[in-house]
Amino acid sequence: MMHNRHTKTGTGPQCPYKLLKNMDKEVKPWSTTCYLMRGAMFQSTIAREASAEGVGLHTGMFGHVRLLPAPADTGIVFRRTDLDNFPIEAQGHNVARVSYATSLMKQGVLLSTTEHLLAAIYSCGIDNIYIDIDSIEIPILDGSAEPFMQMLEHAGVRKLRRKRRYLKLLEPLEVEEGDRRIGIYPADEFRVRCYVDFPHPLVGQQEVEMVVSPDTFRHLLARARTFCFERDIEPLRSMGLIRGGSLENAIVLTNDGVMNGPLRFPDEFGRHKALDLIGDLALAGLPLLARVEAYKAGHALHTQLVSRLLADPSLWTITTGETAAVEHEIQLTTLSPAPATD
Ligand SMILES: [Zn+2]
């Protein structure tokens, strides 16, 4: 079944999607173009446009996505260009139904599978950006955030004159559901820890912990792809999901192995879950100064955490980049080197 999809949906033998404008020719090393997220004083946007196109994982609908610079205090805003540029802000209050992907909805206008693109934008410290999309779903591309990182590298970063604002946690908040849980705790940086446990010989228990920055995201998480179990394919199809799924945009796990190896990391599954987590945390609407720990969580718990957090302003305060930068310098003297995640 997946093999049939694979030949039907691919636009070429190697590449099931397209990054437009030959952007790979212009890519500079990220370290020379990146804008430091932690402690940065000023807001940022992208310097120029970047585009890509491809099918949506769940709807199978083909769409074009275009990233555009936006003025200070815009935030991350999707615009449905097929609906008169209808704007949908990437914010907790616009979260719609959440199951196998995160969907936003505003006044009945839906946008699905926002998490991988948001993970890349948020990790790169882009505060203001328009994301124009002419479809109901963000293209899945290769199932990871790497193509989105390439778009952002092509787009470059532009510093704006307005002070950056951070959402700084003051009190912890935890959400539980059965044996799954997620918590957010005060910290002077944005740190995530993500634990997964799937009963499968290639997965089992995997854990990722890192301070989120453009570089850590790029090197540790961006290339990790989405995955599903072969036994779930038919049930998901019958629910109207993964209509755009193929062996080129998702790892498919059989009972004892992987249908379309090789894996990009031995623990690609845990890394992808951490990527998903960051993409959902972007819905906080501001860069976080907080530590987030997720234990067997998924989109539903991630977004519940964000919604409850935003609903209770006694848990956090808004600080500017200046304050955050000073606090960060103090913190640096006591920090041990970043832990390895392998
Ligand atoms: Zn994902």
Side-chain angles (χ1 to χ4, degrees):
M1 187 46 129
M2 289 298 282
H3 286 289
N4 290 342
R5 290 295 296 190
H6 160 75
T7 49
K8 268 187 226 160
T9 53
T11 55
Q14 297 300 321
C15 188
Y17 61 87
K18 227 169 38 177
L19 292 170
L20 302 181
K21 298 184 182 172
N22 294 322
M23 56 179 62
D24 48 331
K25 286 180 188 159
E26 293 176 45
V27 169
K28 295 183 194 131
W30 183 246
S31 53
T32 65
T33 55
C34 87
Y35 184 65
L36 260 186
M37 182 156 182
R38 219 55 34 217
M41 269 187 66
F42 293 97
Q43 295 184 29
S44 67
T45 184
I46 54 173
R48 62 191 84 85
E49 292 181 24
S51 328
E53 59 184 32
V55 294
L57 175 63
H58 291 296
T59 60
M61 286 179 67
F62 198 86
H64 302 80
V65 63
R66 193 155 68 117
L67 310 181
L68 298 113
D73 294 331
T74 303
I76 303 172
V77 179
F78 296 95
R79 297 189 298 198
R80 285 280 303 267
T81 55
D82 55 332
L83 296 172
D84 289 334
N85 283 343
F86 186 84
I88 306 175
E89 297 79 12
Q91 286 180 1
H93 58 85
N94 285 332
V95 171
R97 57 185 164 77
V98 173
S99 55
Y100 293 90
T102 298
S103 298
L104 304 180
M105 185 151 74
K106 184 179 157 191
Q107 295 170 28
V109 176
L110 191 69
L111 183 65
S112 287
T113 319
T114 53
E115 59 268 24
H116 302 164
L117 175 54
L118 287 182
I121 291 170
Y122 199 51
S123 297
C124 288
I126 304 294
D127 302 293
N128 306 291
I129 190 169
Y130 291 120
I131 304 162
D132 284 2
I133 170 82
D134 61 355
S135 169
I136 196 172
E137 187 173 13
I138 301 294
I140 189 67
L141 306 179
D142 75 346
S144 80
E146 189 179 38
F148 296 126
M149 288 299 279
Q150 290 169 3
M151 291 170 76
L152 290 169
E153 286 177 0
H154 167 80
V157 180
R158 187 154 58 86
K159 196 161 100 174
L160 301 170
R161 285 172 184 273
R162 199 80 45 90
K163 286 258 176 75
R164 169 181 259 181
R165 298 182 311 142
Y166 292 83
L167 195 153
K168 182 175 170 56
L169 212 75
L170 300 175
E171 300 289 338
L173 171 68
E174 292 174 339
V175 183
E176 279 188 35
E177 217 173 75
D179 68 337
R180 302 161 187 275
R181 60 177 185 270
I182 186 167
I184 185 165
Y185 310 92
D188 292 316
E189 59 199 349
F190 179 31
R191 177 181 282 273
V192 296
R193 184 170 166 209
C194 185
Y195 172 90
V196 303
D197 186 4
F198 288 99
H200 186 281
L202 285 183
V203 191
Q205 302 176 342
Q206 298 183 347
E207 189 172 358
V208 170
E209 181 173 6
M210 57 182 254
V211 174
V212 183
S213 74
D215 278 330
T216 57
F217 183 79
R218 171 168 230 351
H219 291 114
L220 302 177
L221 304 188
R223 298 183 65 240
R225 291 161 298 169
T226 195
F227 58 96
C228 77
F229 292 89
E230 186 184 16
R231 61 171 180 271
D232 294 334
I233 290 176
E234 284 314 317
L236 287 169
R237 287 253 162 86
S238 63
M239 289 162 66
L241 295 167
I242 63 167
R243 289 178 194 170
S246 79
L247 292 174
E248 276 139 355
N249 59 32
I251 305 166
V252 179
L253 288 158
T254 58
N255 283 336
D256 52 5
V258 59
M259 195 185 277
N260 51 343
L263 296 177
R264 293 177 175 178
F265 305 98
D267 59 348
E268 191 165 356
F269 314 97
R271 290 177 195 245
H272 186 80
K273 285 290 183 181
L275 186 166
D276 280 343
L277 171 63
I278 293 168
D280 288 337
L281 292 172
L283 300 170
L286 287 176
L288 280 168
L289 294 174
R291 175 170 60 86
V292 178
E293 295 199 3
Y295 180 87
K296 296 169 76 170
H299 295 302
L301 270 190
H302 303 162
T303 53
Q304 234 187 90
L305 182 82
V306 171
S307 297
R308 290 202 196 176
L309 178 71
L310 296 178
D312 187 351
S314 73
L315 298 177
W316 42 267
T317 186
I318 305 287
T319 102
T320 63
E322 199 167 27
T323 323
V326 170
E327 285 170 359
H328 185 59
E329 271 172 27
I330 294 163
Q331 183 68 14
L332 275 178
T333 59
T334 58
L335 264 187
S336 53
T341 55
D342 281 310

